Amino acid sequence: MPLVERPSSFVFPRRLGAAVPTVERAEGAVVWDRSGKRYLDGSGGALVVNIGHGRREVAEAMAAQAAAAAYVHGTQFTSAVLEEYARRLAVHAPGDCNRLYLVSGGSEANETAVKMARAYHLALGQTSRHKVVHRSVSYHGNTLATLALSGRPNLRAPYEPLLPSAPEAMAPFCYHCPLGRAYPECGVACVEDLEAVILREGPETVAAYIAEPIIGASAGAAVPPEDYARRAREICDRHGVLYVADEVMTGFGRTGRWFATEWSGVVPDIMTCGKGMSGGYMPVGAVLAGERVASALTRSPGGFVHGFTFSHNPVTAAACLATLDVLENEGLVERAAVMGEKAMARLRALGAHPHVGDVRGRGLMIGVELVADKESRRPFPRAEGRAEALGAEAFRRGLVTYPGGGGASGRDGDVVMLAPPFVVTEAELDEAAAILDGSLSALGL
Ligand code: PLP
């Protein structure tokens, strides 16, 4: 008989070959592992923990809803908690983009949005409209359809044969401007590429344009000029293309406003959310459809052919409603704006390190970019894993960050994101900055 080694864990790990500590408990902006080691959660996990860890009121609201009615199928029942949540969220949603379709994650939300855009055009009899334009540096999810809409060559590479091709427009990533220009002299020329792509594809074939208001993990909190979004909105309107704002990372106060589209004043036709929506207390995603889309689908005989077993879930709605209460009652969105400035002031000082090329972001969504050469902004080869090395060193010293990148030159580029819970204190910001400072020095970065 062949000897089969018994594995030490039956969990298929999130990252193969890398042992991670076992969490014991978490409170505010701090996580402790089972050995008693303390970590400052400098990134709220993957920019999820907006209201902070250990909120009993959220846990209690979830438990009460689970005891009352944990699950009903969305085609069979609605729930008071879901109805109330949708009503309360509508107050904060941009414009009329407020009809809530609750799902279980950001990728599910974007899949839903894409199908909704297609269904909208079918409802209008525009049957040839099916393409979705995305941007060259972007991330919209890890399912096959949303990966196909993500400008992340490194994540796509193994699955390329499975991914449908999708039109790609230039990303407004100013630090690595695709046109080699600088704002404001550039006149935001990159946005013209969106129109060129729509015209090249044939506007009658394009259903939607999807964009993160601030480019998240792929670029590390790259903030486009506000006129970019406004002009992109005009281009979409000119060609009958729906504007989808992916607020999965930026939504629910992360940038110091309820939604990052508020910075430009653009009202999307469809908005997607996730992450901070439940603060991590439940897996969640959502689509918010504007009146135009919602009413077209409601009137259409074809309706909206879609659905997930766990959509419209009452316990998820309870977690989200309790999270919304905390955000509102404690003024945490405003706090994210204030603490964001304090964080930025501290982190900008890291620019003195020889390989910190840029520190950017908005609110408590901050990216620190590492470059091989500051003058030319040339990135390190991705294979060197500089961002991961910095993340690992900071983790060892007790600071959780969110390393990523790849957006600087197609495949290369290193960013480490800082995005603590909104309850983070000034002392904790000092601690985060000091740990990063020490980690950069230790690695010669
Ligand atoms: N969209 C954006 C902008 C994201 O940052 C993410 C996740 O990082 C997603 C979509 C996918 O969300 P999820 O991982 O919950 O599926």
Side-chain angles (χ1 to χ4, degrees):
M1 270 236 310
L3 197 69
V4 179
E5 203 182 313
R6 198 179 156 77
S8 59
S9 166
F10 285 88
V11 173
F12 196 116
R14 175 63 175 74
R15 194 190 283 160
L16 291 166
V20 290
T22 302
V23 67
E24 181 72 28
R25 67 188 182 90
E27 190 81 41
V30 178
V31 178
W32 288 268
D33 74 14
R34 235 162 50 178
S35 75
K37 180 172 172 181
R38 174 185 172 280
Y39 305 80
L40 177 57
D41 191 356
S43 59
L47 293 88
V48 168
V49 187
N50 289 7
I51 59 170
H53 295 280
R55 293 282 189 169
R56 297 210 65 79
E57 59 270 56
V58 181
E60 281 159 13
M62 290 166 60
Q65 185 58 47
Y71 176 82
V72 283
H73 194 265
T75 59
Q76 295 159 352
F77 293 95
T78 187
S79 58
V81 68
L82 176 63
E83 297 292 336
E84 188 187 346
Y85 180 59
R87 239 187 337 268
R88 292 270 306 279
L89 181 55
V91 174
H92 300 290
D96 64 2
C97 199
N98 56 22
R99 306 300 167 82
L100 173 71
Y101 195 115
L102 191 71
V103 295
S104 307
S107 303
E108 270 192 16
N110 283 327
E111 291 252 0
T112 303
V114 166
K115 289 168 81 175
M116 206 177 258
R118 166 71 179 156
Y120 165 81
H121 290 295
L122 287 180
L124 266 53
Q126 301 176 345
T127 54
S128 60
R129 287 195 188 261
H130 65 283
K131 296 175 188 167
V132 179
V133 181
H134 66 283
R135 299 192 305 211
S136 55
V137 183
S138 57
Y139 183 63
H140 299 294
N142 241 330
T143 59
L144 293 173
T146 55
L147 197 54
L149 295 176
S150 296
R152 296 293 296 267
N154 298 325
L155 301 184
R156 297 167 58 118
Y159 309 108
E160 212 59 70
L162 299 170
L163 303 178
S165 75
E168 192 171 276
M170 227 174 244
F173 187 2
C174 295
Y175 185 69
H176 295 286
C177 175
L179 297 168
R181 298 175 68 177
Y183 183 77
E185 162 280 317
C186 64
V188 198
C190 58
V191 76
E192 287 160 22
D193 192 51
L194 171 61
E195 187 149 43
V197 168
I198 293 173
L199 290 172
R200 188 189 68 214
E201 296 292 325
E204 72 289 353
T205 69
V206 181
Y209 158 71
I210 186 166
E212 299 156 84
I214 293 176
I215 314 174
S218 53
V223 185
E226 302 316 346
D227 19 346
Y228 178 95
R230 288 192 280 269
R231 283 174 57 190
R233 172 81 257 189
E234 285 163 19
I235 291 168
C236 287
D237 288 345
R238 203 153 44 239
H239 299 292
V241 170
L242 291 181
Y243 188 113
V244 181
D246 179 345
E247 293 252 14
V248 169
M249 187 174 269
T250 49
F252 291 89
R254 180 49 66 191
T255 71
R257 301 268 175 98
W258 275 86
F259 295 99
T261 48
E262 289 170 38
W263 290 100
S264 65
V266 162
V267 175
D269 297 300
I270 299 175
M271 185 167 86
T272 57
C273 310
K275 293 187 185 270
M277 188 174 184
S278 74
Y281 289 82
M282 276 297 274
V284 69
V287 175
L288 286 162
E291 166 64 24
R292 179 157 69 117
V293 173
S295 63
L297 292 180
T298 307
R299 285 197 312 269
S300 158
F304 184 36
V305 184
H306 185 57
F308 298 115
T309 297
F310 291 111
S311 82
H312 300 74
N313 186 269
V315 179
T316 307
C320 292
L321 181 58
T323 301
L324 191 78
D325 279 337
V326 173
L327 286 169
E328 284 181 354
N329 296 341
E330 299 183 17
L332 287 186
V333 176
E334 296 74 16
R335 185 179 166 86
V338 173
M339 297 310 280
E341 283 184 16
K342 293 180 189 292
M344 193 60 98
R346 287 159 171 81
L347 296 173
R348 280 231 169 87
L350 299 176
H353 285 270
H355 294 287
V356 173
D358 196 24
V359 180
R360 55 181 172 250
R362 195 162 255 171
L364 280 171
M365 177 173 173
I366 299 173
V368 177
E369 176 159 352
L370 305 173
V371 289
D373 177 54
K374 277 192 186 183
E375 187 61 31
S376 64
R377 302 184 178 182
R378 177 170 53 82
F380 287 108
R382 188 83 272 274
E384 291 180 10
R386 302 292 182 139
E388 289 78 3
L390 179 58
E393 181 61 25
F395 195 82
R396 205 178 58 74
R397 294 169 182 241
L399 174 68
V400 184
T401 62
Y402 195 57
S409 67
R411 285 172 197 275
D412 296 329
D414 291 272
V415 288
V416 170
M417 290 187 79
L418 272 298
F422 306 166
V423 292
V424 70
T425 63
E426 289 204 52
E428 286 166 340
L429 291 180
D430 287 339
E431 184 186 345
I435 291 179
L436 272 179
D437 189 43
S439 304
L440 285 161
S441 298
L443 296 172
L445 289 168

